[in-house]
Amino acid sequence: TTSSGIVYTAQVQLDIKGQAAAAYQITLIMSQVFHLCNCSTRRVSIFTHRRTNIVSWFAAVIEVLLLILFIYLPVFHYIMVIDTPPLLVWLAGPAVGLYLLAFNELRKWLIRTRPRSVLARALAW
């Protein structure tokens, strides 16, 4: 029973739990992919940096493909006790990742253009 008085059956509760488990896995994998983008360099922009570690990018692609298999193949629903989540879950992870990417690019630009400023020193980790 929710605070608004809605009573969910046992099956609906299991479906919600399965969707939450799948949403957790999607968020985790998307976070790892965007973390790989953000941490490739400390001061050079991601758009001008050459991708020298092709193995890590290949692994990220495999990771996303495996995630899609786990989320959408019914055999994994039974094994992993998950259910297919709504599309909004797939959009939330990249939205946050792109926000962090934009912040990181702004930070790198500030460090490159004004290295002696107080803000650049505070953000130069």
Side-chain angles (χ1 to χ4, degrees):
T1 304
T2 64
S3 62
S4 60
I6 300 172
V7 178
Y8 292 115
T9 64
Q11 185 59 43
V12 172
Q13 289 180 23
L14 289 175
D15 290 343
I16 292 171
K17 179 193 156 292
Q19 287 181 0
Y24 165 76
Q25 293 169 354
I26 291 169
T27 304
L28 182 68
I29 299 301
M30 290 297 133
S31 297
Q32 289 175 349
V33 170
F34 279 100
H35 183 72
L36 179 64
C37 291
N38 279 326
C39 292
S40 59
T41 65
R42 289 179 64 195
R43 287 187 166 77
V44 179
S45 173
I46 187 175
F47 303 110
T48 59
H49 182 259
R50 284 188 17 222
R51 302 283 175 241
T52 55
N53 193 354
I54 194 71
V55 175
S56 62
W57 289 102
F58 184 66
V61 169
I62 289 175
E63 186 177 34
V64 171
L65 291 176
L66 283 173
L67 175 68
I68 292 170
L69 285 177
F70 292 157
I71 298 297
Y72 289 108
L73 285 182
V75 68
F76 291 111
H77 290 192
Y78 177 74
I79 294 170
M80 300 174 70
V81 193
I82 60 173
D83 199 12
T84 304
L87 182 63
L88 184 62
V89 173
W90 283 98
L91 300 176
V96 172
L98 289 173
Y99 170 75
L100 291 174
L101 185 67
F103 170 77
N104 219 8
E105 286 299 313
L106 180 64
R107 179 189 68 82
K108 290 175 186 180
W109 175 80
L110 185 63
I111 291 170
R112 284 193 312 268
T113 57
R114 296 186 177 108
R116 301 269 185 229
S117 70
V118 175
L119 187 59
R121 287 184 199 175
L123 294 176
W125 53 78

